């Protein structure tokens, strides 16, 4: 199992770079960041510094979207980083939650997302693609490689990930839901004539190592609120009892009342009073190192290839070091 570190690009950027360097020293293979231009600093600028200050770490957004940048700009940015540092990027992409809504836009449609996945990958790898009806090719790309990993929860999005994406990003670490969603992605891949095993599976969730569970829950409760934004979209589309989405995912947002993006992804988010301890325990990895190892082994048994640690809490360095000292070695054996 590979391990990634997920951060927000809060200033100063030097701290983001420093934490990514620390992660690589501790055995992490991927460095991810949020991508919301209004809420945080521009990640692609910071990626260049992360890549320059690490030796093999792969970087990318978790996740970008098809709407805040034109597709040729996104592809050219990835291709430039790859040309400079040797194909060390991954394009995590989704419909757009915070980046689009904070700017007063709606998330993109799945149809447009599917078109963007193909176009961004093709352009970044030097092939011709059609963007808004215009055929384009980036002529200077040589030997480019850009895996595109798609974030998804709902049945149509999971199907699209299986049909088109190189990887599937699931932003929660509940084993039951992971099994359900991985099966859906792999079934869609098989129906599309693809090798289901060729789709990399990345589970991303907060991790907090320590014995004080009450404190760890409070530090990670924000995650249930963030996931709740996507779940609310699913309930609006499919209904709570449609059978299209597991009630193990949808039922917890019954008491949800709006969301304030100014606290997005941060400990102490006041928009998460509906998130119970049970949801935090299911969605996140908490407790001593042994508890993390046990849950990660279960996730690996369900086909998870990478666990990406959301490290937005008051123990960032300690979490990175604990994973490097105890948890990553245990999953490597």
């Amino acid at each position: 199992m590979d391990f990634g570190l997920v951060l927000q690009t809060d200033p100063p950027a030097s701290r983001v770079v420093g934490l990514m360097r620390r992660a690589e020293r501790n055995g992490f293979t991927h460095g991810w960041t949020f991508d919301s231009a209004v809420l945080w600093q521009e990640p692609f600028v910071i990626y260049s510094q992360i890549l320059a200050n690490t030796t093999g770490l792969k970087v990318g957004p978790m996740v970008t979207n098809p709407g805040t940048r034109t597709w040729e700009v996104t592809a050219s940015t990835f291709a430039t980083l790859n040309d400079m540092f040797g194909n060390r990027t991954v394009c995590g992409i989704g419909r757009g939650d915070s980046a689009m809504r904070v700017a007063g836009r709606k998330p993109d449609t799945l149809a447009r997302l599917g078109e963007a996945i193909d176009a961004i990958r093709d352009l970044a790898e030097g092939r011709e693609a059609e963007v808004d009806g215009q055929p384009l090719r980036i002529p200077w790309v040589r030997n480019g490689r850009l895996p595109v990993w798609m974030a998804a929860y709902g049945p149509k999005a999971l199907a699209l990930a299986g049909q088109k994406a190189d990887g599937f990003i699931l932003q929660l670490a509940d084993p039951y839901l992971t099994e359900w969603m991985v099966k859906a992605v792999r079934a869609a891949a098989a129906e599309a004539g693809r090798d289901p095993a060729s789709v990399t599976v990345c589970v991303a969730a907060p991790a907090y190592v320590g014995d004080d569970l009450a404190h760890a829950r409070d530090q990670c409760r924000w995650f249930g609120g963030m996931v709740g934004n996507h779940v609310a979209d699913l309930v609006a589309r499919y209904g709570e009892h449609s059978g299209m989405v597991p009630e193990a995912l949808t039922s917890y947002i019954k008491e949800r009342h709006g969301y304030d993006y100014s606290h997005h992804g941060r400990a102490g988010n006041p928009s998460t009073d509906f998130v119970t301890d049970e949801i935090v325990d299911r969605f996140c990895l908490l407790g001593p190192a042994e508890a993390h190892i046990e849950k990660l082994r279960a996730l690996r048994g369900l086909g998870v290839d990478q666990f990406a640690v959301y490290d937005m809490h008051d123990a960032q360095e300690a979490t990175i070091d604990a994973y490097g000292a105890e948890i990553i070695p245990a999953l490597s054996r």
Side-chain angles (χ1 to χ4, degrees):
M1 179 180 276
D2 285 336
F3 288 84
L5 183 72
V6 189
L7 299 173
Q8 294 168 335
T9 51
D10 290 312
S14 58
R15 175 164 173 76
V16 178
V17 175
L19 288 171
M20 292 297 187
R21 292 181 64 191
R22 190 184 197 110
E24 185 178 54
R25 290 196 301 269
N26 276 281
F28 289 76
T29 59
H30 289 70
W32 304 95
T33 74
F34 282 32
D35 178 18
S36 292
V38 175
L39 296 177
W40 301 289
Q41 292 186 329
E42 171 54 40
F44 286 94
V45 177
I46 299 172
Y47 295 158
S48 66
Q49 291 298 304
I50 296 171
L51 291 165
N53 284 275
T54 55
T55 58
L57 196 73
K58 296 180 179 180
V59 304
M62 189 173 281
V63 293
T64 193
N65 66 84
T68 52
R69 298 177 180 84
T70 60
W71 305 347
E72 72 275 13
V73 170
T74 299
S76 181
T77 305
F78 277 112
T80 301
L81 291 171
N82 285 336
D83 187 63
M84 293 172 67
F85 299 103
N87 288 339
R88 289 170 56 195
T89 66
V90 180
C91 177
I93 195 168
R95 292 176 57 227
D97 176 35
S98 61
M100 296 293 280
R101 288 181 163 130
V102 168
R105 307 183 187 104
K106 294 181 179 180
D108 277 291
T109 64
L110 286 174
R112 188 159 176 81
L113 175 57
E115 293 172 1
I117 288 172
D118 289 337
I120 290 168
R121 183 198 294 117
D122 284 344
L123 289 169
E125 295 186 349
R127 296 183 296 276
E128 183 179 286
E130 187 172 291
V131 179
D132 295 328
Q134 176 69 32
L136 298 175
R137 188 177 70 83
I138 302 175
W140 49 263
V141 173
R142 297 289 184 274
N143 302 314
R145 171 78 178 121
L146 182 65
V148 181
W149 296 8
M150 180 184 155
Y153 293 106
K156 292 182 180 179
L158 294 169
L160 181 63
Q163 292 158 6
K164 289 185 176 289
D166 301 297
F168 161 50
I169 297 171
L170 175 59
Q171 295 174 83
L172 54 80
D174 176 84
Y176 171 77
L177 293 172
T178 298
E179 182 177 20
W180 190 89
M181 294 185 185
V182 169
K183 284 182 177 178
V185 169
R186 289 188 167 155
E191 290 173 8
R194 306 178 68 197
D195 177 4
S198 69
V199 182
T200 301
V201 176
C202 174
V203 160
Y208 199 107
V209 183
D211 295 321
D212 189 343
L213 276 178
H215 181 72
R217 287 171 179 145
D218 286 343
Q219 286 292 302
C220 298
R221 199 174 305 276
W222 62 266
F223 185 66
M226 186 187 84
V227 174
N229 296 328
H230 303 286
V231 176
D233 288 343
L234 295 178
V235 171
R237 176 181 292 270
Y238 299 106
E240 184 180 337
H241 305 293
S242 66
M244 298 289 288
V245 183
E247 290 191 31
L249 177 62
T250 59
S251 61
Y252 87 97
I253 68 163
K254 288 180 181 178
E255 302 301 320
R256 178 183 181 270
H257 302 288
Y259 189 81
D260 182 355
Y261 280 93
S262 66
H263 303 281
H264 190 55
R266 299 187 187 282
N269 186 330
S271 301
T272 60
D273 55 349
F274 68 96
V275 181
T276 65
D277 287 351
E278 185 253 344
I279 287 295
V280 180
D281 291 347
R282 281 174 47 202
F283 285 11
C284 305
L285 273 76
L286 311 175
E290 294 79 10
H292 292 242
I293 292 167
E294 180 180 3
K295 192 167 188 178
L296 288 167
R297 283 177 173 158
L299 291 170
R300 184 175 62 182
L302 298 174
V304 175
D305 300 296
Q306 180 180 148
F307 177 61
V309 176
Y310 276 111
D311 203 24
M312 280 77 79
H313 47 58
D314 65 0
Q316 289 182 303
E317 290 90 349
T319 298
I320 294 169
D321 292 347
Y323 263 70
E326 300 180 74
I327 297 167
I328 293 176
L331 272 294
S332 299
R333 292 195 292 267

